[in-house]
Amino acid sequence: MKSHYRVVVIGGGVVGTSVLYHLAKMGWSDVCLIERSVLTAGSSWHAAGGIHALNADPNIAQLQAYTIDLLPEIEKESGQNIGLHMTGGLTMAGTPERWEWLQSAYRTFQSIGIEDCRLVDVEEAVALNPIMSGDGLLGGMWADREGYIDTTGTVHAYAGAAKKNGATVIEHNRVLELNQTLEGWQVVTEKGTINCEHVVNAAGLWAKQVGRMAGIELPVSPLNHHYLISDTIPALQEIDFEVPMTVDLEGFTYLRQDQKGVLLGIYEVDHQHWMMDGAPWEYGFELQQEDPDRIERELILGFERYPALQEVGVKTWVNGAFTFSPDGNPLVGPVPGKRGYWSACAVMAGFLQGGGVGKSLAEWMIHGEPEADVYGMDVARYGIWAENKQYIKETTGQFYTRRFVMTYPNEQLPAGRPIKTAPAHADMTAAGCQWGQSWDLEVPLYFAEPGFKETPSLKRSNAFDIVARECKAVRENVGLLDISGFSRFEVTGDGAEDWLNTIFATKLPKPGRSRLAVALGEDGRLKGDLTLFNWGDGTWWIMGSYYLRTWHMRWFNDHMGANVELRDLGDEVAGFSLSGPKSRAVIERLSDGDVGVLPFMGCGAFDIGLLRCKVGRLSVTGELGYEIHCRMGDHATLRKSLLAAGADQGMIEFGFNALLSLRLEKSYGIWSAEFTQGYTPGMTAMDRWIDWDKPAFVGRDAALAERDGNGPAQVQVTLEVDAKDADASGYEPVWHKGEKVGFVTSGGFGHTLGKSYAMALVNADVAAQGTDLTLHVVGVERGARVIAPSPYDPAGKAMRA
C-alpha cells in the first residue's frame, strides 16, 4: 500500500470495483480500492444478480444497457467467469390498468432505443415460461436482453480487469476516518494513512458511516429483502432451455431459474428497515433470519403463479439487506460542499446499474462531466432536508413497498410530506388548494371544491375541467399563482458582472431589466434555462427551478469567480405572480409607484400594499403578468392584499397544472423536459439567446462548433395531436411513415385553444411545419402534425400589452 493515490475507492462490492475499473481503463491507474473485509462482503454476495435493460428513466435505462454490453467484455478482459445467462425476460400484467400501462411503457422503450422488446399475449408468455400459470393475466412484455449473472464472479471480474489496467485492490483494511486537506483527503486505515485527491464512497451497507466520516449525512437506508431458492422442479428437468426472468407485477414477485430449481424474490408491502445508521463493521457474510409470516401474502401469490413450487421444498432462504435512496435511484456524483468527495451509493440494482454508475462517475471525475444526463441519480437532487431520519425511513419504505405497485403520473404520494410550506399554505388549503411537492416544498396544483379527490389515471383525470376553468380565468381576466416554488440566488460583489458574463452565454440585462439566461457546460450542452434580474443597485438575481437548488449551487460554486458573493434565497423569499389581461389593473391598485408602466421584462422594487417587494414584469403563461417577490414572512399578507385588489376583476387562484397547459400553448419549454443537460442549444432553439459576440463564456467553443457545423440531427418542434381521452406526457415515440423519427419531451391539453399539444425532439428532415407524423399516447397511435411555435398569440402581443 502506497502513502498516496490519486483516487481511493472505499468499498469492495460491485459498484466500487466498477468505479475502480472505469477509472483505470480511462487512464487513471494510480487508484486503489480499500475493502474492510474481502471483495463482495456486503450486499453483493447475496444479490439475486438479475439484469435487464428496462427502466422508467430513459437515461438510467441507457446506462443499464451499457452495463449489459460491458459484462462480457470484463469477463474476457479479466479471465474471470461471470456466469452470464441471457435468458430473456417477461414482465406480466394482471389488471386492465397495468396492461394499459405496459403497452404505454413498451412505446416509451421504443423511444429511447430499446428495440429488442415486444408485447406478448398470455398464451405466448406461458409458452416462454411453461411453469407459469396464465390465470388472471392479460398480457406481458418480452425483452431479449434479460438474464442473470454470478454475483461473486462478476465483482472479481471487475476487480481483476481493474488490476490489469494498473489499479490496486487492498482487502482486510477498514477505513477508520477521513480528513479533508488542502490537496484532497487523508484516508486513515487500519494499515496506515493514505493521502489522495479524490475519495469515492462506494461503501454500500456502510455508506452512512463513511459519509459521516466526512460530515455528510447521505439519504440512504438498508432494507431487508427476501428471496428463496427451490429444490429441483421436475418440469424444468423436462425442458431444454432456461425459463426467462419473469416479473409478476400484481404478485410482487420476480423469478429466474437456478440450476433446475428457481429463485423467487419478493418485494413485500410490509417492508422492514435494518440498521438505518449503517451495518456493524464486523457484518459481512451474515443474513437475517427469514420471516415467511411477514411475506405470507406475496408468497401465496408467488406459489399460485408458479404452481410447481407447491410440489417441491425450499432449498435456501435469503433475507439480506440492500441500501435504498428515497426514490430508489442511486446517489452518484460530487457531494456539494465537499470538494473531492464522490458518492457511489444506494445502487440498489448494483449488478444491473453498476457498470453505468462506474462509467459515469469516472467520466465525471476525469473529464468534468459524464457523457450521459445522469440527473436522475445525481446526489445533488436532494438537499439537507433529506438528511432527516424520519424522512429517509418513510420515503425508502414507500419506494420498497411500491416497487411493483403501479404509480400514475397524476398521483401524489404521501411519504415524507409535508416538510416545507409557504406561509399562506393554510389559507390556500382552506381555499381548496390541492398540493404537489417540488423538492422539499408543497406547491399548488389546482384549486377544487371541498371534498374533491383526484382519481389516479394514465389519461385525462377528473381534475380536467378544474384546470380548464383556471386557464380560462388567466386568459380572460387575471390569475394568482404562488411562486414560492422558484429558486432564487442573489449575486453581489465587485466581480459579480464579470462572473455572470462568464457563467452565462447570454447578454446580461441592463439595470432595471431581466433576461432569459442560458448556462452551458464546458461541452456546450445545457446547464440551465434561468432568468437573470439586474436590480440596478449592484444586486443580481438568478431564478430557476426550485428542485435544482443544490444542483445549480454546486455548478455555480464549481465555477466561481473572484470577488463574488452568491447566496441561495430559497428559504428567505417567497412570492406570487399575477397573469392575465387585468393583472395591471390589480397591481396598480396596491402601489402608488410607476409599477404600471414597467416595461416588458423590466424589474424594480415597489411598495405593494404594506409590503416592500421586488417586481418583475414577465409571465410564463404568455399573458401580461408580474412576478412579485416578498420576504417569506410577508407571503400570507401579500396573498390577501392581491386577492382583495382583484376581487372585482374576476381573479381566481390557479396552480401549476394550469400553468403547464398555458405554457404549452406558447411552446415554452421547461427543464427536465425540453431542456436537459443532455441537449444542446441548437437542438432546443436556445441558441437564439446566446450572445455570440461575447469573447468568453463557459461552453463557447463547443457552442460555436455546433453553430458553424452541419446543425443538430434533431430539433425541437411543436405538435398538434389528434388525441381523444389522453394526452402525451413525455418519451412517447414519434413516427413518420413507419420510421421512428423522435420522441415527445412533454405534452398536454391546451384548454384555451381546445387542442392537444406536444413538444418533441424530431429528426431535422421532418421538422418542417405541416409535416404529418404519428405518436403513441398511452400506447395508442394518434395522428399529429408539426405546427408553428406558439399556437396561442404567436406575435406575443398579450404579454407585451
Side-chain angles (χ1 to χ4, degrees):
M1 185 177 79
K2 299 190 302 182
S3 62
H4 183 278
Y5 291 90
R6 193 168 195 173
V7 183
V8 171
V9 179
I10 302 172
V14 64
V15 177
T17 52
S18 173
V19 171
L20 188 76
Y21 165 75
H22 282 90
L23 286 169
K25 188 72 172 178
M26 293 180 192
W28 280 21
S29 59
D30 187 21
V31 295
C32 80
L33 181 149
I34 297 178
E35 163 57 42
R36 62 180 181 86
S37 178
V38 296
L39 297 180
T40 78
S43 296
S44 289
W45 74 270
H46 63 74
I51 54 172
H52 56 88
L54 308 181
N55 189 288
D57 184 319
N59 296 301
I60 293 178
Q62 290 170 357
L63 291 175
Q64 291 177 182
Y66 166 80
T67 301
I68 294 171
D69 290 337
L70 175 66
L71 289 170
E73 295 300 317
I74 64 160
E75 180 176 60
K76 181 179 179 181
E77 192 170 345
S78 66
Q80 169 71 50
N81 184 1
I82 66 170
L84 177 61
H85 295 248
M86 197 62 80
T87 63
L90 285 169
T91 302
M92 303 305 301
T95 66
E97 295 80 11
R98 180 81 75 173
W99 179 225
E100 186 176 58
W101 171 84
L102 204 56
Q103 293 172 81
S104 179
Y106 164 63
R107 297 300 180 180
T108 298
F109 295 138
Q110 284 187 314
S111 278
I112 62 179
I114 299 176
E115 304 287 354
D116 46 5
C117 59
R118 69 180 191 275
L119 297 173
V120 297
D121 60 23
V122 176
E123 183 179 7
E124 182 180 0
V126 172
L128 290 165
N129 186 347
I131 67 168
M132 178 178 68
S133 166
D135 292 349
L137 296 176
L138 298 178
M141 183 165 62
W142 168 268
D144 292 343
R145 287 157 57 80
E146 296 202 9
Y148 64 96
I149 44 85
D150 168 34
T151 57
T152 297
T154 301
V155 172
H156 282 277
Y158 275 120
K163 288 189 285 187
K164 287 188 175 182
N165 282 281
T168 301
V169 174
I170 305 167
E171 297 178 292
H172 302 291
N173 187 29
R174 180 162 71 89
V175 174
L176 303 175
E177 61 181 84
L178 297 172
N179 301 303
Q180 194 164 15
T181 67
L182 292 176
E183 294 76 26
W185 292 87
Q186 182 188 72
V187 183
V188 181
T189 77
E190 292 175 326
K191 294 182 178 180
T193 299
I194 300 172
N195 290 290
C196 62
E197 298 173 38
H198 306 274
V199 63
V200 179
N201 181 350
L205 294 173
W206 297 268
K208 183 73 79 172
Q209 297 101 305
V210 174
R212 287 173 176 169
M213 289 178 184
I216 298 163
E217 196 69 27
L218 290 167
V220 298
S221 176
L223 284 94
N224 282 329
H225 178 64
H226 278 90
Y227 66 78
L228 63 86
I229 298 176
S230 76
D231 286 332
T232 295
I233 295 175
L236 294 181
Q237 292 180 306
E238 297 172 2
I239 60 176
D240 60 357
F241 62 91
E242 283 192 288
V243 297
M245 289 281 296
T246 305
V247 175
D248 178 15
L249 295 168
E250 269 63 58
F252 306 93
T253 62
Y254 61 89
L255 173 141
R256 70 165 174 84
Q257 191 159 331
D258 187 275
Q259 298 182 47
K260 289 299 180 179
V262 296
L263 180 153
L264 182 74
I266 294 169
Y267 278 97
E268 66 276 14
V269 173
D270 183 17
H271 61 264
Q272 184 180 68
H273 286 84
W274 180 80
M275 296 291 178
M276 287 193 66
D277 291 316
W281 290 114
E282 64 277 8
Y283 181 83
F285 288 104
E286 299 83 0
L287 293 170
Q288 282 67 263
Q289 181 67 39
E290 65 268 19
D291 188 2
D293 290 341
R294 184 166 60 82
I295 60 174
E296 179 181 12
R297 172 175 172 265
E298 293 84 2
L299 275 176
I300 291 173
L301 291 172
F303 276 56
E304 289 175 346
R305 180 60 60 209
Y306 308 102
L309 286 172
Q310 301 172 25
E311 309 300 326
V312 299
V314 174
K315 181 167 61 177
T316 305
W317 280 99
V318 172
N319 182 19
F322 296 89
T323 53
F324 292 78
S325 73
D327 63 5
N329 281 338
L331 298 172
V332 178
V335 175
K338 296 289 181 178
R339 186 174 294 277
Y341 188 103
W342 300 76
S343 176
C345 304
V347 189
M348 177 263 299
F351 290 91
L352 174 60
Q353 299 174 347
V357 167
K359 173 181 183 289
S360 297
L361 193 141
E363 290 169 343
W364 213 333
M365 199 177 294
I366 295 170
H367 304 300
E369 289 291 329
E371 180 184 22
D373 176 8
V374 296
Y375 179 78
M377 62 182 186
D378 193 328
V379 67
R381 71 185 185 276
Y382 291 105
I384 59 173
W385 46 271
E387 298 176 359
N388 177 274
K389 191 171 183 178
Q390 184 62 26
Y391 171 83
I392 296 169
K393 185 175 183 179
E394 288 185 21
T395 53
T396 55
Q398 176 178 263
F399 172 82
Y400 187 98
T401 292
R402 298 182 64 87
R403 183 78 170 87
F404 288 165
V405 173
M406 186 168 168
T407 298
Y408 295 88
N410 67 325
E411 189 173 9
Q412 295 296 317
L413 301 180
R417 296 176 62 190
I419 300 176
K420 180 182 177 183
T421 59
H425 180 271
D427 293 339
M428 294 171 67
T429 300
C433 187
Q434 305 292 303
W435 298 96
Q437 186 182 42
S438 175
W439 219 43
D440 64 339
L441 179 68
E442 297 293 306
V443 295
L445 299 178
Y446 53 85
F447 289 77
E449 297 299 320
F452 176 82
K453 297 292 183 183
E454 185 171 5
T455 303
S457 176
L458 293 174
K459 300 179 179 180
R460 294 172 188 163
S461 82
N462 56 328
F464 184 81
D465 292 339
I466 296 172
V467 175
R469 183 172 66 249
E470 293 181 358
C471 291
K472 179 179 175 64
V474 171
R475 291 285 190 230
E476 296 180 359
N477 297 308
V478 57
L480 183 68
L481 174 69
D482 175 14
I483 57 169
S484 302
F486 291 170
S487 67
R488 299 166 177 87
F489 301 94
E490 180 187 77
V491 185
T492 57
D494 294 340
E497 186 168 346
D498 288 340
W499 178 69
L500 291 168
N501 252 322
T502 300
I503 204 74
F504 290 114
T506 312
K507 186 176 182 179
L508 301 188
K510 296 178 180 179
R513 302 303 293 263
S514 61
R515 184 185 292 271
L516 179 68
V518 179
L520 304 178
E522 285 89 347
D523 57 6
R525 295 184 296 177
L526 298 177
K527 277 294 177 182
D529 63 323
L530 300 139
T531 306
L532 188 60
F533 292 80
N534 183 347
W535 296 111
D537 60 357
T539 301
W540 305 73
W541 275 15
I542 304 169
M543 285 187 62
S545 300
Y546 185 86
Y547 65 94
L548 297 173
R549 281 172 59 187
T550 296
W551 187 76
H552 270 138
M553 182 62 91
R554 182 183 67 191
W555 172 256
F556 295 148
N557 283 329
D558 286 348
H559 297 79
M560 185 50 63
N563 303 314
V564 180
E565 293 183 17
L566 176 67
R567 197 157 63 93
D568 183 346
L569 302 178
D571 296 322
E572 302 176 29
V573 177
F576 287 92
S577 73
L578 291 172
S579 297
K582 298 181 181 179
S583 56
R584 180 182 286 115
V586 174
I587 199 169
E588 284 183 326
R589 289 181 176 180
L590 295 172
S591 178
D592 62 359
D594 56 356
V595 65
V597 297
L598 198 66
F600 178 61
M601 299 301 287
C603 62
F606 297 91
D607 290 335
I608 304 296
L610 293 172
L611 308 176
R612 189 65 173 170
C613 301
K614 289 184 179 294
V615 179
R617 192 189 145 184
L618 66 162
S619 171
V620 184
T621 64
E623 297 292 337
L624 170 68
Y626 300 86
E627 292 182 353
I628 307 167
H629 311 275
C630 64
R631 297 180 304 174
M632 187 67 71
D634 294 339
H635 185 249
T637 298
L638 177 60
R639 173 181 176 272
K640 291 175 182 177
S641 298
L642 292 168
L643 286 174
D648 63 349
Q649 299 292 324
M651 177 190 283
I652 70 167
E653 293 184 89
F654 71 104
F656 281 94
N657 284 10
L659 185 68
L660 289 174
S661 171
L662 295 166
R663 67 95 185 170
L664 276 173
E665 294 180 323
K666 293 294 297 175
S667 299
Y668 290 160
I670 56 173
W671 194 262
S672 293
E674 284 67 50
F675 311 130
T676 77
Q677 59 183 334
Y679 304 155
T680 66
M683 295 169 65
T684 56
M686 294 296 277
D687 53 348
R688 68 186 186 273
W689 302 106
I690 292 178
D691 180 7
W692 299 105
D693 294 330
K694 290 172 68 168
F697 56 82
V698 176
R700 184 175 186 271
D701 290 345
L704 282 169
E706 181 186 47
R707 185 197 69 175
D708 299 336
N710 296 322
Q714 290 189 313
V715 294
Q716 192 76 237
V717 296
T718 300
L719 303 177
E720 183 181 310
V721 184
D722 299 330
K724 293 183 179 179
D725 57 352
D727 302 293
S729 59
Y731 290 110
E732 293 90 349
V734 177
W735 308 89
H736 180 252
K737 298 180 179 179
E739 179 185 355
K740 183 164 64 70
V741 294
F743 61 94
V744 171
T745 53
S746 68
F749 193 78
H751 288 281
T752 307
L753 301 177
K755 295 179 179 180
S756 184
Y757 294 107
M759 299 181 72
L761 272 175
V762 301
N763 295 348
D765 61 354
V766 297
Q769 294 175 28
T771 303
D772 288 325
L773 304 168
T774 63
L775 56 87
H776 282 84
V777 179
V778 193
V780 178
E781 192 167 15
R782 303 292 188 191
R785 65 210 55 85
V786 180
I787 62 173
S790 189
Y792 174 79
D793 187 24
K797 293 180 179 180
M799 61 185 177
R800 291 176 171 83

